[in-house]
Amino acid sequence: MAGSPYLQVDDYEPVAKSKLPADVYDFYAGGAGDERTLAENVRAFDRWVLRPRVLQGIASVDPSTTVLGAPLSMPILVAPWAFQRRAHPDGELATVRAAARAGTVAVISSTAAEHLEEVAAAGSGTTWWQLYLYSDVGRSAELIRRVVDAGFDAICWTVDLPVLGIRHRDTRSGLTVPVGLDQEKLEYEPALSWDHLSFIRDHAPGLPVLVKGILRAEDGVRAVEHGADAVVVSNHGGRQLDGCPAGLDALPEVVEAVDGRLPVLMDGGVRRGTDVLKALALGASAILIGRAAVWGLAAEGEAGVTGVLGILRAELENAMTLTGCATLADVDRALVAPAP
Ligand code: FNR
């Protein structure tokens, strides 16, 4: 009998593509402008090589870690991504269940606001809420109140979408996204500023707040100064500003500037366990997967997300063994070097 058709994360995308309407596939796969940043996110990992350390006497490896007080079986989280019920009828419910089973965090997109209580109830593990602020302050306050009441464990505030990126695939296809994310009728706050961080804190006392969408050292420092609990180095999967740096390329300067004062997570282009290890070696506390999870859900529902997380975990453990890292504490900057 043949084994699973899914040997690596990239095996899920063609299956997902065959199951999705073309416009929805393009919405998930596409990026802004000429999609240069989208491509760079993946390519950036090729600019680094791993430097194996041999003869470390390692019988088994343990990739578990803790981020913002949450014990994780591995440093791989599911990034927030929009409109999951368009990928599979179970949508966000499947995602939170798969993440919980894998012992990691799912971050749920603000676009799932209409059923956030149901999503929170489905996840037995740690679930974070990704927040877009609305222009209507009262509506934002109400959303945050519901997030707190529903029991989400942290708020991941996305700051790189004051307006939508220019996405030609969606314009061409005429994709209709639910009201609220329509290019002309975007209801999100465009004039985002650091002051909004205290607004979020005031309405979610006690919940850690991550700032997602940082690409510069100075903004990492500002996040520290304004009391963020963590930052996510991210260019939104190449969907916002085309021509900005890959997530992995921006990571080292933010790590250096933040200097251990808060955890630095990253996303963009992670497709294999060795990518995860490279990001950790460059200072990330954990990474998030966007499209890898999208393709898993679209191809196989909850089982697909479970499959993707399982593959990444197995690949990370394999890479840790082959580089002589028993735990994540053994992963340091010397584990990578610029590719020759
Ligand atoms: C996203 N992303 C995103 N981010 C966010 O904060 N809120 C959101 O609603 C969405 N929606 C969304 C939809 C789709 C289809 C994708 C692919 C991405 C960005 C996401 O959280 C993450 O930053 C990137 O997906 C990471 O890059 P990779 O892993 O897709 O290469």
Side-chain angles (χ1 to χ4, degrees), residues 27-30 38 41-42 79-82 109-111 130 132 156 158 160 212 234-239 267-271 288-292 294:
F27 171 73
Y28 292 154
L38 175 71
N41 272 352
V42 174
W81 60 278
S109 165
S110 254
T111 62
Q130 178 268 318
Y132 285 135
C156 176
T158 298
D160 58 9
K212 173 173 180 278
S234 172
N235 57 34
H236 213 110
R239 302 165 69 80
D267 71 23
V270 176
R271 304 288 185 269
L288 300 87
I289 51 165
R291 290 190 185 69
V294 176

PDB file of all heavy atoms in Angstrom, residues 27-30 38 41-42 79-82 109-111 130 132 156 158 160 212 234-239 267-271 288-292 294, ligand 1:
ATOM      1  N   PHE A  27      -6.477  34.231  -3.859  1.00  0.00           N
ATOM      2  CA  PHE A  27      -6.499  35.086  -2.659  1.00  0.00           C
ATOM      3  C   PHE A  27      -5.529  34.538  -1.609  1.00  0.00           C
ATOM      4  O   PHE A  27      -4.768  35.291  -0.996  1.00  0.00           O
ATOM      5  CB  PHE A  27      -7.920  35.161  -2.083  1.00  0.00           C
ATOM      6  CG  PHE A  27      -7.990  35.839  -0.742  1.00  0.00           C
ATOM      7  CD1 PHE A  27      -7.828  37.212  -0.617  1.00  0.00           C
ATOM      8  CD2 PHE A  27      -8.214  35.093   0.423  1.00  0.00           C
ATOM      9  CE1 PHE A  27      -7.883  37.838   0.633  1.00  0.00           C
ATOM     10  CE2 PHE A  27      -8.271  35.709   1.666  1.00  0.00           C
ATOM     11  CZ  PHE A  27      -8.108  37.079   1.773  1.00  0.00           C
ATOM     12  N   TYR A  28      -5.526  33.233  -1.415  1.00  0.00           N
ATOM     13  CA  TYR A  28      -4.644  32.634  -0.410  1.00  0.00           C
ATOM     14  C   TYR A  28      -3.173  32.656  -0.852  1.00  0.00           C
ATOM     15  O   TYR A  28      -2.277  32.939  -0.073  1.00  0.00           O
ATOM     16  CB  TYR A  28      -5.051  31.184  -0.131  1.00  0.00           C
ATOM     17  CG  TYR A  28      -6.377  31.017   0.576  1.00  0.00           C
ATOM     18  CD1 TYR A  28      -7.129  29.854   0.432  1.00  0.00           C
ATOM     19  CD2 TYR A  28      -6.881  32.013   1.407  1.00  0.00           C
ATOM     20  CE1 TYR A  28      -8.341  29.681   1.089  1.00  0.00           C
ATOM     21  CE2 TYR A  28      -8.104  31.849   2.056  1.00  0.00           C
ATOM     22  CZ  TYR A  28      -8.826  30.681   1.895  1.00  0.00           C
ATOM     23  OH  TYR A  28     -10.018  30.520   2.546  1.00  0.00           O
ATOM     24  N   ALA A  29      -2.947  32.319  -2.106  1.00  0.00           N
ATOM     25  CA  ALA A  29      -1.564  32.155  -2.577  1.00  0.00           C
ATOM     26  C   ALA A  29      -0.883  33.494  -2.855  1.00  0.00           C
ATOM     27  O   ALA A  29       0.334  33.606  -2.742  1.00  0.00           O
ATOM     28  CB  ALA A  29      -1.552  31.315  -3.858  1.00  0.00           C
ATOM     29  N   GLY A  30      -1.658  34.485  -3.212  1.00  0.00           N
ATOM     30  CA  GLY A  30      -1.100  35.705  -3.796  1.00  0.00           C
ATOM     31  C   GLY A  30      -0.503  36.670  -2.800  1.00  0.00           C
ATOM     32  O   GLY A  30      -0.610  36.526  -1.579  1.00  0.00           O
ATOM     33  N   LEU A  38       6.737  38.379  -1.556  1.00  0.00           N
ATOM     34  CA  LEU A  38       6.187  37.033  -1.379  1.00  0.00           C
ATOM     35  C   LEU A  38       7.237  35.978  -1.721  1.00  0.00           C
ATOM     36  O   LEU A  38       7.459  35.024  -0.958  1.00  0.00           O
ATOM     37  CB  LEU A  38       4.964  36.876  -2.293  1.00  0.00           C
ATOM     38  CG  LEU A  38       4.292  35.508  -2.362  1.00  0.00           C
ATOM     39  CD1 LEU A  38       3.565  35.190  -1.065  1.00  0.00           C
ATOM     40  CD2 LEU A  38       3.291  35.440  -3.532  1.00  0.00           C
ATOM     41  N   ASN A  41      10.325  35.921   0.757  1.00  0.00           N
ATOM     42  CA  ASN A  41      10.080  35.273   2.054  1.00  0.00           C
ATOM     43  C   ASN A  41      10.578  33.829   2.040  1.00  0.00           C
ATOM     44  O   ASN A  41      11.168  33.359   3.012  1.00  0.00           O
ATOM     45  CB  ASN A  41       8.578  35.274   2.370  1.00  0.00           C
ATOM     46  CG  ASN A  41       8.117  36.526   3.082  1.00  0.00           C
ATOM     47  OD1 ASN A  41       8.926  37.354   3.491  1.00  0.00           O
ATOM     48  ND2 ASN A  41       6.808  36.672   3.229  1.00  0.00           N
ATOM     49  N   VAL A  42      10.336  33.144   0.940  1.00  0.00           N
ATOM     50  CA  VAL A  42      10.753  31.739   0.825  1.00  0.00           C
ATOM     51  C   VAL A  42      12.249  31.662   0.526  1.00  0.00           C
ATOM     52  O   VAL A  42      12.985  30.891   1.134  1.00  0.00           O
ATOM     53  CB  VAL A  42       9.930  31.031  -0.272  1.00  0.00           C
ATOM     54  CG1 VAL A  42      10.446  29.613  -0.512  1.00  0.00           C
ATOM     55  CG2 VAL A  42       8.449  31.019   0.110  1.00  0.00           C
ATOM     56  N   ALA A  79      -0.263  30.889  12.236  1.00  0.00           N
ATOM     57  CA  ALA A  79      -0.492  32.323  12.051  1.00  0.00           C
ATOM     58  C   ALA A  79      -1.981  32.593  11.821  1.00  0.00           C
ATOM     59  O   ALA A  79      -2.720  31.710  11.368  1.00  0.00           O
ATOM     60  CB  ALA A  79       0.308  32.819  10.839  1.00  0.00           C
ATOM     61  N   PRO A  80      -2.397  33.828  12.110  1.00  0.00           N
ATOM     62  CA  PRO A  80      -3.782  34.178  11.794  1.00  0.00           C
ATOM     63  C   PRO A  80      -3.957  34.310  10.289  1.00  0.00           C
ATOM     64  O   PRO A  80      -3.120  34.919   9.620  1.00  0.00           O
ATOM     65  CB  PRO A  80      -3.950  35.540  12.478  1.00  0.00           C
ATOM     66  CG  PRO A  80      -2.567  36.126  12.513  1.00  0.00           C
ATOM     67  CD  PRO A  80      -1.641  34.947  12.680  1.00  0.00           C
ATOM     68  N   TRP A  81      -4.999  33.715   9.775  1.00  0.00           N
ATOM     69  CA  TRP A  81      -5.271  33.933   8.357  1.00  0.00           C
ATOM     70  C   TRP A  81      -6.783  33.967   8.138  1.00  0.00           C
ATOM     71  O   TRP A  81      -7.552  33.327   8.846  1.00  0.00           O
ATOM     72  CB  TRP A  81      -4.540  32.911   7.475  1.00  0.00           C
ATOM     73  CG  TRP A  81      -4.840  31.469   7.676  1.00  0.00           C
ATOM     74  CD1 TRP A  81      -4.305  30.643   8.625  1.00  0.00           C
ATOM     75  CD2 TRP A  81      -5.752  30.672   6.914  1.00  0.00           C
ATOM     76  NE1 TRP A  81      -4.822  29.384   8.497  1.00  0.00           N
ATOM     77  CE2 TRP A  81      -5.716  29.359   7.447  1.00  0.00           C
ATOM     78  CE3 TRP A  81      -6.585  30.923   5.816  1.00  0.00           C
ATOM     79  CZ2 TRP A  81      -6.491  28.319   6.935  1.00  0.00           C
ATOM     80  CZ3 TRP A  81      -7.348  29.878   5.304  1.00  0.00           C
ATOM     81  CH2 TRP A  81      -7.293  28.599   5.863  1.00  0.00           C
ATOM     82  N   ALA A  82      -7.168  34.724   7.140  1.00  0.00           N
ATOM     83  CA  ALA A  82      -8.551  35.177   7.019  1.00  0.00           C
ATOM     84  C   ALA A  82      -9.466  34.146   6.365  1.00  0.00           C
ATOM     85  O   ALA A  82      -9.044  33.340   5.553  1.00  0.00           O
ATOM     86  CB  ALA A  82      -8.572  36.468   6.200  1.00  0.00           C
ATOM     87  N   SER A 109      -7.746  34.883  13.268  1.00  0.00           N
ATOM     88  CA  SER A 109      -7.887  36.177  12.607  1.00  0.00           C
ATOM     89  C   SER A 109      -9.144  36.922  13.034  1.00  0.00           C
ATOM     90  O   SER A 109     -10.201  36.324  13.247  1.00  0.00           O
ATOM     91  CB  SER A 109      -7.940  35.972  11.083  1.00  0.00           C
ATOM     92  OG  SER A 109      -8.407  37.146  10.443  1.00  0.00           O
ATOM     93  N   SER A 110      -9.018  38.231  13.102  1.00  0.00           N
ATOM     94  CA  SER A 110     -10.153  39.116  13.373  1.00  0.00           C
ATOM     95  C   SER A 110     -11.304  38.909  12.399  1.00  0.00           C
ATOM     96  O   SER A 110     -12.440  39.249  12.705  1.00  0.00           O
ATOM     97  CB  SER A 110      -9.711  40.580  13.268  1.00  0.00           C
ATOM     98  OG  SER A 110      -9.604  41.191  14.531  1.00  0.00           O
ATOM     99  N   THR A 111     -10.996  38.369  11.226  1.00  0.00           N
ATOM    100  CA  THR A 111     -12.067  38.155  10.253  1.00  0.00           C
ATOM    101  C   THR A 111     -13.018  37.045  10.699  1.00  0.00           C
ATOM    102  O   THR A 111     -14.045  36.823  10.070  1.00  0.00           O
ATOM    103  CB  THR A 111     -11.490  37.785   8.868  1.00  0.00           C
ATOM    104  OG1 THR A 111     -10.768  36.556   8.971  1.00  0.00           O
ATOM    105  CG2 THR A 111     -10.571  38.880   8.339  1.00  0.00           C
ATOM    106  N   GLN A 130      -6.040  37.473  16.982  1.00  0.00           N
ATOM    107  CA  GLN A 130      -5.398  38.511  16.163  1.00  0.00           C
ATOM    108  C   GLN A 130      -6.371  39.662  16.026  1.00  0.00           C
ATOM    109  O   GLN A 130      -7.514  39.468  15.608  1.00  0.00           O
ATOM    110  CB  GLN A 130      -5.024  37.951  14.790  1.00  0.00           C
ATOM    111  CG  GLN A 130      -4.391  38.986  13.871  1.00  0.00           C
ATOM    112  CD  GLN A 130      -5.410  39.689  12.992  1.00  0.00           C
ATOM    113  OE1 GLN A 130      -6.311  39.060  12.457  1.00  0.00           O
ATOM    114  NE2 GLN A 130      -5.275  41.009  12.844  1.00  0.00           N
ATOM    115  N   TYR A 132      -7.554  43.290  14.478  1.00  0.00           N
ATOM    116  CA  TYR A 132      -7.553  44.496  13.637  1.00  0.00           C
ATOM    117  C   TYR A 132      -8.449  45.495  14.347  1.00  0.00           C
ATOM    118  O   TYR A 132      -9.576  45.153  14.730  1.00  0.00           O
ATOM    119  CB  TYR A 132      -8.156  44.210  12.262  1.00  0.00           C
ATOM    120  CG  TYR A 132      -7.296  43.428  11.302  1.00  0.00           C
ATOM    121  CD1 TYR A 132      -7.824  42.372  10.565  1.00  0.00           C
ATOM    122  CD2 TYR A 132      -5.959  43.773  11.082  1.00  0.00           C
ATOM    123  CE1 TYR A 132      -7.056  41.657   9.658  1.00  0.00           C
ATOM    124  CE2 TYR A 132      -5.183  43.055  10.174  1.00  0.00           C
ATOM    125  CZ  TYR A 132      -5.736  42.003   9.464  1.00  0.00           C
ATOM    126  OH  TYR A 132      -4.977  41.302   8.573  1.00  0.00           O
ATOM    127  N   CYS A 156      -2.908  39.421  19.586  1.00  0.00           N
ATOM    128  CA  CYS A 156      -1.837  39.639  18.611  1.00  0.00           C
ATOM    129  C   CYS A 156      -2.321  40.754  17.689  1.00  0.00           C
ATOM    130  O   CYS A 156      -3.156  40.536  16.810  1.00  0.00           O
ATOM    131  CB  CYS A 156      -1.609  38.328  17.851  1.00  0.00           C
ATOM    132  SG  CYS A 156      -0.406  38.434  16.545  1.00  0.00           S
ATOM    133  N   THR A 158      -2.231  43.242  14.828  1.00  0.00           N
ATOM    134  CA  THR A 158      -1.575  43.364  13.522  1.00  0.00           C
ATOM    135  C   THR A 158      -1.551  44.814  13.092  1.00  0.00           C
ATOM    136  O   THR A 158      -2.594  45.463  12.989  1.00  0.00           O
ATOM    137  CB  THR A 158      -2.300  42.485  12.483  1.00  0.00           C
ATOM    138  OG1 THR A 158      -2.195  41.132  12.907  1.00  0.00           O
ATOM    139  CG2 THR A 158      -1.693  42.649  11.110  1.00  0.00           C
ATOM    140  N   ASP A 160       0.308  46.084  10.335  1.00  0.00           N
ATOM    141  CA  ASP A 160       0.767  46.357   8.963  1.00  0.00           C
ATOM    142  C   ASP A 160      -0.371  46.379   7.950  1.00  0.00           C
ATOM    143  O   ASP A 160      -0.161  46.196   6.761  1.00  0.00           O
ATOM    144  CB  ASP A 160       1.847  45.337   8.549  1.00  0.00           C
ATOM    145  CG  ASP A 160       1.350  43.896   8.621  1.00  0.00           C
ATOM    146  OD1 ASP A 160       0.147  43.681   8.815  1.00  0.00           O
ATOM    147  OD2 ASP A 160       2.195  42.983   8.487  1.00  0.00           O
ATOM    148  N   LYS A 212       2.266  42.551  15.760  1.00  0.00           N
ATOM    149  CA  LYS A 212       2.638  41.763  14.577  1.00  0.00           C
ATOM    150  C   LYS A 212       2.741  42.659  13.349  1.00  0.00           C
ATOM    151  O   LYS A 212       1.805  43.388  13.021  1.00  0.00           O
ATOM    152  CB  LYS A 212       1.576  40.687  14.317  1.00  0.00           C
ATOM    153  CG  LYS A 212       1.757  39.897  13.017  1.00  0.00           C
ATOM    154  CD  LYS A 212       0.758  38.759  12.941  1.00  0.00           C
ATOM    155  CE  LYS A 212       0.895  37.950  11.667  1.00  0.00           C
ATOM    156  NZ  LYS A 212       0.213  38.563  10.511  1.00  0.00           N
ATOM    157  N   SER A 234       7.254  40.361  10.633  1.00  0.00           N
ATOM    158  CA  SER A 234       6.359  39.824   9.607  1.00  0.00           C
ATOM    159  C   SER A 234       6.093  40.875   8.549  1.00  0.00           C
ATOM    160  O   SER A 234       5.992  42.064   8.852  1.00  0.00           O
ATOM    161  CB  SER A 234       5.033  39.427  10.269  1.00  0.00           C
ATOM    162  OG  SER A 234       4.052  39.079   9.313  1.00  0.00           O
ATOM    163  N   ASN A 235       5.968  40.427   7.302  1.00  0.00           N
ATOM    164  CA  ASN A 235       5.477  41.324   6.253  1.00  0.00           C
ATOM    165  C   ASN A 235       4.125  40.845   5.734  1.00  0.00           C
ATOM    166  O   ASN A 235       3.756  41.095   4.596  1.00  0.00           O
ATOM    167  CB  ASN A 235       6.498  41.464   5.117  1.00  0.00           C
ATOM    168  CG  ASN A 235       6.856  40.112   4.516  1.00  0.00           C
ATOM    169  OD1 ASN A 235       6.024  39.212   4.437  1.00  0.00           O
ATOM    170  ND2 ASN A 235       8.101  39.959   4.081  1.00  0.00           N
ATOM    171  N   HIS A 236       3.404  40.134   6.617  1.00  0.00           N
ATOM    172  CA  HIS A 236       2.037  39.720   6.292  1.00  0.00           C
ATOM    173  C   HIS A 236       2.027  38.750   5.099  1.00  0.00           C
ATOM    174  O   HIS A 236       1.130  38.792   4.244  1.00  0.00           O
ATOM    175  CB  HIS A 236       1.170  40.946   5.986  1.00  0.00           C
ATOM    176  CG  HIS A 236      -0.274  40.816   6.383  1.00  0.00           C
ATOM    177  ND1 HIS A 236      -0.824  41.524   7.420  1.00  0.00           N
ATOM    178  CD2 HIS A 236      -1.290  40.065   5.882  1.00  0.00           C
ATOM    179  CE1 HIS A 236      -2.117  41.234   7.522  1.00  0.00           C
ATOM    180  NE2 HIS A 236      -2.429  40.341   6.594  1.00  0.00           N
ATOM    181  N   GLY A 237       3.037  37.912   5.047  1.00  0.00           N
ATOM    182  CA  GLY A 237       3.091  36.947   3.960  1.00  0.00           C
ATOM    183  C   GLY A 237       3.200  37.586   2.590  1.00  0.00           C
ATOM    184  O   GLY A 237       2.708  37.036   1.592  1.00  0.00           O
ATOM    185  N   GLY A 238       3.874  38.743   2.519  1.00  0.00           N
ATOM    186  CA  GLY A 238       4.064  39.416   1.233  1.00  0.00           C
ATOM    187  C   GLY A 238       2.782  39.982   0.654  1.00  0.00           C
ATOM    188  O   GLY A 238       2.706  40.272  -0.544  1.00  0.00           O
ATOM    189  N   ARG A 239       1.761  40.180   1.492  1.00  0.00           N
ATOM    190  CA  ARG A 239       0.445  40.587   1.002  1.00  0.00           C
ATOM    191  C   ARG A 239       0.181  42.070   1.144  1.00  0.00           C
ATOM    192  O   ARG A 239      -0.851  42.566   0.703  1.00  0.00           O
ATOM    193  CB  ARG A 239      -0.637  39.816   1.766  1.00  0.00           C
ATOM    194  CG  ARG A 239      -0.495  38.320   1.629  1.00  0.00           C
ATOM    195  CD  ARG A 239      -1.331  37.566   2.651  1.00  0.00           C
ATOM    196  NE  ARG A 239      -2.760  37.673   2.436  1.00  0.00           N
ATOM    197  CZ  ARG A 239      -3.436  36.956   1.534  1.00  0.00           C
ATOM    198  NH1 ARG A 239      -2.802  36.109   0.758  1.00  0.00           N
ATOM    199  NH2 ARG A 239      -4.740  37.082   1.430  1.00  0.00           N
ATOM    200  N   ASP A 267       7.435  35.386  11.038  1.00  0.00           N
ATOM    201  CA  ASP A 267       6.780  34.539  10.048  1.00  0.00           C
ATOM    202  C   ASP A 267       7.114  35.018   8.651  1.00  0.00           C
ATOM    203  O   ASP A 267       7.738  36.057   8.444  1.00  0.00           O
ATOM    204  CB  ASP A 267       5.263  34.419  10.288  1.00  0.00           C
ATOM    205  CG  ASP A 267       4.482  35.695   9.988  1.00  0.00           C
ATOM    206  OD1 ASP A 267       4.953  36.554   9.216  1.00  0.00           O
ATOM    207  OD2 ASP A 267       3.368  35.815  10.520  1.00  0.00           O
ATOM    208  N   GLY A 268       6.710  34.189   7.675  1.00  0.00           N
ATOM    209  CA  GLY A 268       6.959  34.478   6.270  1.00  0.00           C
ATOM    210  C   GLY A 268       7.836  33.424   5.642  1.00  0.00           C
ATOM    211  O   GLY A 268       9.029  33.342   5.944  1.00  0.00           O
ATOM    212  N   GLY A 269       7.236  32.605   4.797  1.00  0.00           N
ATOM    213  CA  GLY A 269       8.018  31.681   3.980  1.00  0.00           C
ATOM    214  C   GLY A 269       8.451  30.396   4.648  1.00  0.00           C
ATOM    215  O   GLY A 269       9.191  29.626   4.033  1.00  0.00           O
ATOM    216  N   VAL A 270       8.013  30.136   5.876  1.00  0.00           N
ATOM    217  CA  VAL A 270       8.444  28.903   6.551  1.00  0.00           C
ATOM    218  C   VAL A 270       7.708  27.711   5.931  1.00  0.00           C
ATOM    219  O   VAL A 270       6.476  27.651   5.946  1.00  0.00           O
ATOM    220  CB  VAL A 270       8.160  28.971   8.064  1.00  0.00           C
ATOM    221  CG1 VAL A 270       8.529  27.652   8.729  1.00  0.00           C
ATOM    222  CG2 VAL A 270       8.909  30.127   8.704  1.00  0.00           C
ATOM    223  N   ARG A 271       8.465  26.794   5.368  1.00  0.00           N
ATOM    224  CA  ARG A 271       7.871  25.639   4.684  1.00  0.00           C
ATOM    225  C   ARG A 271       8.491  24.314   5.121  1.00  0.00           C
ATOM    226  O   ARG A 271       8.060  23.256   4.687  1.00  0.00           O
ATOM    227  CB  ARG A 271       8.076  25.754   3.156  1.00  0.00           C
ATOM    228  CG  ARG A 271       7.546  27.023   2.520  1.00  0.00           C
ATOM    229  CD  ARG A 271       6.021  27.038   2.465  1.00  0.00           C
ATOM    230  NE  ARG A 271       5.537  28.212   1.753  1.00  0.00           N
ATOM    231  CZ  ARG A 271       5.237  29.382   2.328  1.00  0.00           C
ATOM    232  NH1 ARG A 271       5.363  29.522   3.646  1.00  0.00           N
ATOM    233  NH2 ARG A 271       4.807  30.406   1.618  1.00  0.00           N
ATOM    234  N   LEU A 288       5.715  31.354  13.012  1.00  0.00           N
ATOM    235  CA  LEU A 288       4.321  31.055  12.693  1.00  0.00           C
ATOM    236  C   LEU A 288       4.226  30.617  11.234  1.00  0.00           C
ATOM    237  O   LEU A 288       4.987  31.101  10.384  1.00  0.00           O
ATOM    238  CB  LEU A 288       3.422  32.282  12.900  1.00  0.00           C
ATOM    239  CG  LEU A 288       3.356  32.887  14.310  1.00  0.00           C
ATOM    240  CD1 LEU A 288       4.475  33.909  14.520  1.00  0.00           C
ATOM    241  CD2 LEU A 288       2.004  33.557  14.534  1.00  0.00           C
ATOM    242  N   ILE A 289       3.301  29.723  10.981  1.00  0.00           N
ATOM    243  CA  ILE A 289       3.068  29.299   9.599  1.00  0.00           C
ATOM    244  C   ILE A 289       1.726  29.836   9.107  1.00  0.00           C
ATOM    245  O   ILE A 289       0.707  29.717   9.773  1.00  0.00           O
ATOM    246  CB  ILE A 289       3.086  27.763   9.440  1.00  0.00           C
ATOM    247  CG1 ILE A 289       2.154  27.065  10.455  1.00  0.00           C
ATOM    248  CG2 ILE A 289       4.514  27.233   9.568  1.00  0.00           C
ATOM    249  CD1 ILE A 289       1.844  25.609  10.114  1.00  0.00           C
ATOM    250  N   GLY A 290       1.762  30.462   7.941  1.00  0.00           N
ATOM    251  CA  GLY A 290       0.541  30.935   7.301  1.00  0.00           C
ATOM    252  C   GLY A 290       0.114  29.964   6.216  1.00  0.00           C
ATOM    253  O   GLY A 290      -0.687  29.057   6.425  1.00  0.00           O
ATOM    254  N   ARG A 291       0.729  30.123   5.039  1.00  0.00           N
ATOM    255  CA  ARG A 291       0.252  29.307   3.905  1.00  0.00           C
ATOM    256  C   ARG A 291       0.380  27.805   4.131  1.00  0.00           C
ATOM    257  O   ARG A 291      -0.455  27.044   3.641  1.00  0.00           O
ATOM    258  CB  ARG A 291       0.949  29.740   2.620  1.00  0.00           C
ATOM    259  CG  ARG A 291       0.442  31.128   2.200  1.00  0.00           C
ATOM    260  CD  ARG A 291       0.879  31.513   0.862  1.00  0.00           C
ATOM    261  NE  ARG A 291       0.484  32.876   0.534  1.00  0.00           N
ATOM    262  CZ  ARG A 291       0.979  33.985   1.088  1.00  0.00           C
ATOM    263  NH1 ARG A 291       1.881  33.916   2.045  1.00  0.00           N
ATOM    264  NH2 ARG A 291       0.560  35.178   0.690  1.00  0.00           N
ATOM    265  N   ALA A 292       1.385  27.374   4.861  1.00  0.00           N
ATOM    266  CA  ALA A 292       1.494  25.934   5.128  1.00  0.00           C
ATOM    267  C   ALA A 292       0.201  25.430   5.771  1.00  0.00           C
ATOM    268  O   ALA A 292      -0.328  24.374   5.411  1.00  0.00           O
ATOM    269  CB  ALA A 292       2.702  25.652   6.029  1.00  0.00           C
ATOM    270  N   VAL A 294      -2.729  27.030   5.581  1.00  0.00           N
ATOM    271  CA  VAL A 294      -3.815  27.245   4.611  1.00  0.00           C
ATOM    272  C   VAL A 294      -3.964  26.008   3.725  1.00  0.00           C
ATOM    273  O   VAL A 294      -5.063  25.468   3.542  1.00  0.00           O
ATOM    274  CB  VAL A 294      -3.529  28.475   3.724  1.00  0.00           C
ATOM    275  CG1 VAL A 294      -4.605  28.629   2.644  1.00  0.00           C
ATOM    276  CG2 VAL A 294      -3.414  29.759   4.554  1.00  0.00           C
TER     277      VAL A 294
HETATM  278  C1  FNR B   1      -2.790  36.162   6.106  1.00  0.00           C
HETATM  279  N1  FNR B   1      -2.194  36.899   7.129  1.00  0.00           N
HETATM  280  C2  FNR B   1      -2.995  37.551   8.045  1.00  0.00           C
HETATM  281  N2  FNR B   1      -2.432  38.179   9.113  1.00  0.00           N
HETATM  282  C3  FNR B   1      -3.201  38.771  10.039  1.00  0.00           C
HETATM  283  O1  FNR B   1      -2.674  39.314  10.996  1.00  0.00           O
HETATM  284  N3  FNR B   1      -4.568  38.750   9.925  1.00  0.00           N
HETATM  285  C4  FNR B   1      -5.200  38.148   8.890  1.00  0.00           C
HETATM  286  O2  FNR B   1      -6.426  38.121   8.813  1.00  0.00           O
HETATM  287  C5  FNR B   1      -4.400  37.542   7.900  1.00  0.00           C
HETATM  288  N4  FNR B   1      -4.960  36.959   6.805  1.00  0.00           N
HETATM  289  C6  FNR B   1      -4.196  36.222   5.940  1.00  0.00           C
HETATM  290  C7  FNR B   1      -4.802  35.498   4.919  1.00  0.00           C
HETATM  291  C8  FNR B   1      -4.034  34.673   4.109  1.00  0.00           C
HETATM  292  C9  FNR B   1      -4.697  33.878   3.027  1.00  0.00           C
HETATM  293  C10 FNR B   1      -2.633  34.592   4.298  1.00  0.00           C
HETATM  294  C11 FNR B   1      -1.793  33.695   3.445  1.00  0.00           C
HETATM  295  C12 FNR B   1      -2.045  35.333   5.269  1.00  0.00           C
HETATM  296  C13 FNR B   1      -0.722  36.892   7.307  1.00  0.00           C
HETATM  297  C14 FNR B   1      -0.275  35.713   8.161  1.00  0.00           C
HETATM  298  O3  FNR B   1      -0.636  35.892   9.504  1.00  0.00           O
HETATM  299  C15 FNR B   1       1.253  35.538   8.132  1.00  0.00           C
HETATM  300  O4  FNR B   1       1.863  36.741   8.490  1.00  0.00           O
HETATM  301  C16 FNR B   1       1.783  35.062   6.789  1.00  0.00           C
HETATM  302  O5  FNR B   1       0.875  34.177   6.159  1.00  0.00           O
HETATM  303  C17 FNR B   1       3.137  34.371   6.948  1.00  0.00           C
HETATM  304  O6  FNR B   1       3.686  34.035   5.712  1.00  0.00           O
HETATM  305  P1  FNR B   1       3.551  32.571   5.044  1.00  0.00           P
HETATM  306  O7  FNR B   1       3.758  31.543   6.134  1.00  0.00           O
HETATM  307  O8  FNR B   1       2.172  32.492   4.472  1.00  0.00           O
HETATM  308  O9  FNR B   1       4.610  32.548   4.018  1.00  0.00           O
END
